[in-house]
Amino acid sequence: MTDNWIVAELDPVRRLRVLAAAVPGAVRHREIVLPVPVDRVWAVASDLERELPRLLTTVRGFRFTGGEGERLRAHAVGRFGQRADFDVVLRPGWCLMRSRFVLGAMAAVPEGEGTRFATLGGFRLPGARLLSPLTGLLGDVAIRRLAEHPALQD
Amino acid sequence: MEQQTGPGGTSATGIDPALVRAAQQGDPLALADLMELLTPYVGRICGPIARQDGPDAAQDALIVILRGIRQLREPAALLGWARTIAVREAVRVAQRAGRTVTAPLDELRAAGDPQLATDVEDALARLTPEHRAVLVLRDLEGVDESTTSSVLAVPLGTVRSRLARARQSFRKVWES
């Protein structure tokens, strides 16, 4: 009988909401609905080496350096030359990036004929919530740049 | 002895204590990994209790679990602690949604019908969230009456009467 009982599923956007509420220093959580199918949105968003420098004003370069499967390593260079190594978890609809000081994440699920796309960012520092206005502004810019991305226009 | 079944069918000791400790220190990857491990378990509890509001309940339960992970003294107690939170959040969300159907069970289909899964869902729908919670804890999770009483913060007699009512509802499905 128990085989017939329903199981509640948690899609990637819901999982990102959980992390946004639970991870210390996660201060930038945004969601947007794009009128583009999820596979097209994710093809752009998950191309981290090409797109992160376009979407994030603070990133100048991002290169994978190792790892396998969905667990990867990457090296990022900031706009002012600062460098950081990232642990990355990347799979369809889900991306989580963590360096020593920074957290970044994205999630995407189908919504109607479009896509619900979510981002999360923050600093792994005490008092990170004081930086909320700044990171909120950066998140808004990234979301807007994704929505206006040439590959996502009909 | 209550059954201890973990996420993905692993044993209660299947979750690495080091992962729990890293999550307690606020590591985002550890919190995400722990969320992935707990999601099937929490979803299995929240689904039958909160039904169509199950994803909301599972989301809220995982938020409470991960925000409170620092308070967990013993990693081995994680699943029991998570189960208590999941049941309570599922009942709360289901009560808030107020979707319980109070119609009689006469219209349910016979056992063996291809619509059996639908019938089980129908039987669940005709119970209150509190009755569904007792059924999930006793019949799905294999938890004893005393623990069920503690998880739901109700007297033992209430657990027994709710269970009898819930099982009677299901019996009508099988015998109709």
Side-chain angles (χ1 to χ4, degrees):
Chain A
M1 181 177 78
T2 55
D3 289 344
N4 293 305
W5 288 21
I6 54 176
V7 176
E9 305 286 347
L10 217 59
D11 67 38
V13 167
R14 284 185 177 276
R15 291 178 194 224
L16 202 61
R17 290 176 192 159
V18 172
L19 290 189
V23 173
V27 292
R28 187 188 76 205
H29 180 228
R30 295 286 187 274
E31 288 187 16
I32 187 174
V33 177
L34 301 167
V36 182
V38 69
D39 55 343
R40 281 180 59 194
V41 172
W42 197 247
V44 172
S46 63
D47 188 356
L48 302 179
E49 291 187 336
R50 177 193 297 263
E51 298 298 343
L52 276 187
R54 294 184 182 183
L55 299 174
L56 296 173
T57 55
T58 52
V59 175
R60 196 173 74 196
F62 191 89
R63 289 286 177 271
F64 286 115
T65 56
E68 59 181 80
E70 62 181 41
R71 297 201 175 244
L72 306 166
R73 294 276 299 166
H75 184 74
V77 179
R79 171 164 290 220
F80 303 109
Q82 68 273 38
R83 296 169 183 275
D85 290 316
F86 279 81
D87 291 302
V88 181
V89 179
L90 181 63
R91 57 174 173 266
W94 180 260
C95 176
L96 180 60
M97 300 170 283
R98 176 205 62 181
S99 75
R100 188 176 172 193
F101 298 118
V102 177
L103 158 72
M106 303 182 290
V109 295
E111 183 160 307
E113 295 182 354
T115 301
R116 178 167 290 272
F117 185 80
T119 61
L120 178 66
F123 293 101
R124 303 180 62 204
L125 300 166
R129 293 194 180 274
L130 295 174
L131 299 169
S132 181
L134 172 63
T135 53
L137 183 63
L138 291 172
D140 291 340
V141 170
I143 285 269
R144 195 192 70 227
R145 287 184 176 182
L146 179 70
E148 295 173 351
H149 195 287
L152 301 183
Q153 311 305 310
D154 284 328
Chain B
M1 189 70 180
E2 75 180 69
Q3 178 184 337
Q4 281 283 354
T5 304
T10 61
S11 69
T13 56
I15 294 181
D16 184 357
L19 175 64
V20 177
R21 283 193 286 274
Q24 288 178 317
Q25 291 164 8
D27 178 358
L29 251 56
L31 284 162
D33 286 346
L34 199 56
M35 175 178 66
E36 298 295 334
L37 284 169
L38 289 174
T39 295
Y41 184 60
V42 168
R44 202 178 69 190
I45 292 170
C46 291
I49 299 175
R51 302 173 55 249
Q52 57 263 60
D53 300 300
D56 284 344
Q59 179 181 303
D60 288 357
L62 283 163
I63 287 172
V64 174
I65 291 165
L66 295 186
R67 289 182 96 163
I69 194 73
R70 282 170 182 254
Q71 300 162 16
L72 186 70
R73 291 176 181 270
E74 179 51 58
L78 174 64
L79 290 184
W81 182 66
R83 179 178 58 209
T84 298
I85 292 171
V87 168
R88 290 178 179 174
E89 285 300 310
V91 170
R92 183 185 64 78
V93 169
Q95 285 175 332
R96 188 182 62 195
R99 297 186 204 271
T100 304
V101 178
T102 54
L105 292 160
D106 302 343
E107 299 168 4
L108 292 175
R109 297 168 199 273
D113 188 285
Q115 294 292 322
L116 183 59
T118 304
D119 293 346
V120 171
E121 172 60 8
D122 283 347
L124 284 172
R126 289 157 205 275
L127 297 170
T128 66
E130 295 89 341
H131 283 84
R132 294 198 291 266
V134 172
L135 204 60
V136 166
L137 284 168
R138 294 287 287 123
D139 289 354
L140 188 62
E141 285 294 295
V143 173
D144 61 36
E145 287 181 344
S146 174
T147 305
T148 301
S149 165
S150 172
V151 168
L152 297 174
V154 297
L156 209 54
T158 304
V159 169
R160 289 172 179 153
S161 63
R162 285 181 183 173
L163 185 63
R165 157 77 174 119
R167 284 177 174 167
Q168 183 187 24
S169 299
F170 269 91
R171 204 167 295 125
K172 289 183 180 179
V173 175
W174 311 124
E175 293 172 355
S176 62

